[in-house]
Amino acid sequence: MSSSTVPVAGPEHVWSVTEHLEDILGTVRPLEPIELQLLDAQGCVLVEDITVPLSLPPFDNSSMDGYAVRAADTVGASEEFPAVLTVVGDVAAGQADAPEVGPGEAARIMTGAPLPPGAEAVVPVEWTDGGLGGGPVSGMRAHSAAPEGASGQVHVHRAAEAGAHVRTRGSDVRAGDRALDAGAVLGAPQIALLAAVGLGSVRVRPRPRVVVLSTGSELVQPGEPLADGQIYDSNSFALTAAVRDAGAIAYRVGAVADDAETLRATIEDQLVRADLVVTTGGVSVGAYDVVKEALSHVGDEDEAGSGIEFRKLAMQPGKPQGFGSIGPDHTPLLALPGNPVSSYVSFELFVRPAIRTLMGLPDVHRPTARAVLRTDKALTSPAGRRQFLRARYSAADATVEPVGGSGSHLVAALAHADALIVVPEDDTSVEPGTEVEVVVLGRPGPIG
């Protein structure tokens, strides 16, 4: 953690969305690189270019099951007048010593097997009689059940040009080529390439470990019975899923009751496995806003002036926010509001970019677009606040349509949204047909 680049503001200062985000991104730094085994590096970001140590494929090999031949020996071959070649042996994948193919000869070859010396092309088995003396065959029988396939003669019914059905050495990548650039995220195809060129480990920035916890004595875990005045804890599940979607490792902590000492102890216990802590709930001005009570005066052990600062933002939803660092390792902590929509919108605007910054990604933000507003009546927005409205976005015709109302408790509408309409601070009304800015989120499920 480094110190913030945003000037210190007084307790009554209302922060803009941009100021708050700049403070977060000016403080959070990418995690230090480490060497990881390939599968452990899945989802991580490379910190150095990868140069191919050997060519792929490393040798000329067959792309078909068939016969390795000299091209000249098949010229003019047809089913009526086949080329008759002497079979000198088998070449299987992984075989080190292959028989040499001379004039008038062929070697039975399997997919992936090295092209034997003297051969220039591969004739698919379907173009031959398979060494059985009849018409065209559809495939090869197992070697143990067809010893005649590796000896005797084979009738070739079609000509093959030099290089036919042969994967040449280095046709994928050549030794010395750059395989992957620094900054690449390692998914399955990238890991396949690294393994194919023989790299067992790679230097990456690790996936951040993010601890997610919600607060509130009214919260009950899904699957348990509800008593009067209780609700199910949806925030910690939503944020844990969002953390994973952002590329990090998530640790969900069960809901913490409205007790400041319990919350402080819980967070301190979690710091050992956290590169980032995210709380939800308890950041407003109520008498039981436990996160604010527990963390307002908690600072880093050896960094003067640090700790968690609670702010008012000029945005809707998500006005109350908290940000700072905590513990001996100066672990960043973002405190989000407790209403489900406020919590999720705050995650998208502030937490996701922080996670992507920890990962070392160059682009930490969701994509944005311009779209024409499709709605029956004008949208209203409070003066002086940047509003984020849930919506469905169509890239095909560049339109966007609001989903549900503006209430910060409306979870059902959130489930059907794939975008956020951004209404600037100075706009109090947006008419249908107006072009608006849209933050494009992940795709939701279909509306049932």
Side-chain angles (χ1 to χ4, degrees):
M1 293 277 294
S2 71
S3 60
S4 168
T5 59
V6 175
V8 176
E12 299 306 314
H13 174 70
V14 178
W15 292 61
S16 70
V17 172
T18 301
E19 284 177 330
H20 185 59
L21 180 59
E22 286 179 349
D23 189 25
I24 294 168
L25 298 186
T27 302
V28 174
R29 289 288 180 265
L31 299 177
E32 289 299 315
I34 59 175
E35 189 84 12
L36 288 179
Q37 296 296 307
L38 286 189
L39 290 180
D40 294 330
Q42 182 176 0
C44 296
V45 176
L46 278 175
V47 296
E48 55 193 11
D49 297 338
I50 299 296
T51 300
V52 178
L54 82 165
S55 296
L56 285 183
F59 49 82
D60 294 349
N61 68 90
S62 176
S63 66
M64 304 286 287
D65 293 328
Y67 290 85
V69 300
R70 291 172 177 257
D73 291 335
T74 68
V75 173
S78 66
E79 194 166 342
E80 184 178 0
F81 299 105
V84 182
L85 304 177
T86 300
V87 180
V88 294
D90 269 0
V91 188
Q95 185 173 326
D97 54 338
E100 184 169 353
V101 176
E105 294 178 340
R108 196 167 70 151
I109 193 168
M110 314 307 152
T111 301
L115 195 68
E120 303 169 307
V122 172
V123 176
V125 67
E126 295 87 353
W127 296 5
T128 76
D129 67 350
L132 302 177
V137 295
S138 59
M140 292 181 179
R141 289 190 289 169
H143 173 68
S144 59
E148 75 284 349
S151 60
Q153 293 182 327
V154 63
H155 290 66
V156 178
H157 301 143
R158 290 175 62 179
E161 295 182 356
H165 309 296
V166 174
R167 304 166 179 151
T168 58
R169 180 178 182 271
S171 56
D172 191 354
V173 289
R174 294 186 176 276
D177 287 350
R178 183 180 297 178
L180 295 171
D181 293 332
V185 180
L186 298 183
Q190 292 76 30
I191 288 175
L193 174 57
L194 294 172
V197 299
L199 297 178
S201 63
V202 68
R203 191 165 173 78
V204 296
R205 295 193 192 277
R207 295 167 62 199
R209 302 164 300 163
V210 181
V211 169
V212 176
L213 62 88
S214 51
T215 63
S217 298
E218 77 281 10
L219 299 179
V220 175
Q221 297 306 296
E224 298 178 4
L226 284 179
D228 289 344
Q230 294 182 325
I231 60 173
Y232 287 119
D233 172 18
S234 64
N235 281 358
S236 68
F237 286 89
L239 297 185
T240 298
V243 166
R244 292 174 177 173
D245 179 70
I249 298 169
Y251 298 108
R252 191 189 72 86
V253 180
V256 179
D258 290 324
D259 179 79
E261 289 300 324
T262 300
L263 177 61
R264 272 196 294 266
T266 300
I267 292 175
E268 288 171 2
D269 287 345
Q270 294 297 321
L271 291 178
V272 69
R273 62 173 182 176
D275 298 307
L276 175 68
V277 177
V278 180
T279 68
T280 173
V283 296
S284 192
V285 294
Y288 292 90
D289 285 324
V290 65
V291 174
K292 199 169 184 180
E293 178 186 353
L295 300 181
S296 287
H297 306 291
V298 175
D300 292 339
E301 294 178 3
D302 56 357
E303 187 172 317
S306 65
I308 311 302
E309 181 180 352
F310 291 89
R311 305 165 175 173
K312 298 174 183 177
L313 266 63
M315 65 179 286
Q316 185 184 53
K319 178 180 178 181
Q321 301 282 339
F323 171 63
S325 62
I326 188 171
D329 295 324
H330 318 308
T331 304
L333 183 148
L334 283 96
L336 311 184
N339 280 317
V341 176
S342 301
S343 173
Y344 181 73
V345 169
S346 299
F347 179 93
E348 287 291 342
L349 296 180
F350 308 124
V351 183
R352 195 175 199 276
I355 289 173
R356 310 285 282 180
T357 299
L358 288 168
M359 293 176 68
L361 288 166
D363 187 3
V364 301
H365 301 288
R366 290 283 197 185
T368 59
R370 302 292 296 181
V372 174
L373 179 64
R374 294 283 182 252
T375 182
D376 294 334
K377 59 182 180 180
L379 302 180
T380 59
S381 185
R385 292 197 197 179
R386 189 180 306 181
Q387 188 174 42
F388 298 88
L389 297 169
R390 290 141 291 171
R392 291 295 292 263
Y393 167 66
S394 171
D397 58 3
T399 60
V400 66
E401 181 179 2
V403 175
S406 60
S408 58
H409 65 291
L410 302 175
V411 183
L414 182 63
H416 298 306
D418 62 7
L420 297 173
I421 296 172
V422 183
V423 182
E425 290 87 341
D426 295 335
D427 293 347
T428 57
S429 179
V430 184
E431 296 294 328
T434 303
E435 187 178 75
V436 294
E437 181 184 357
V438 174
V439 178
V440 182
L441 309 176
R443 306 303 298 182
I447 297 178

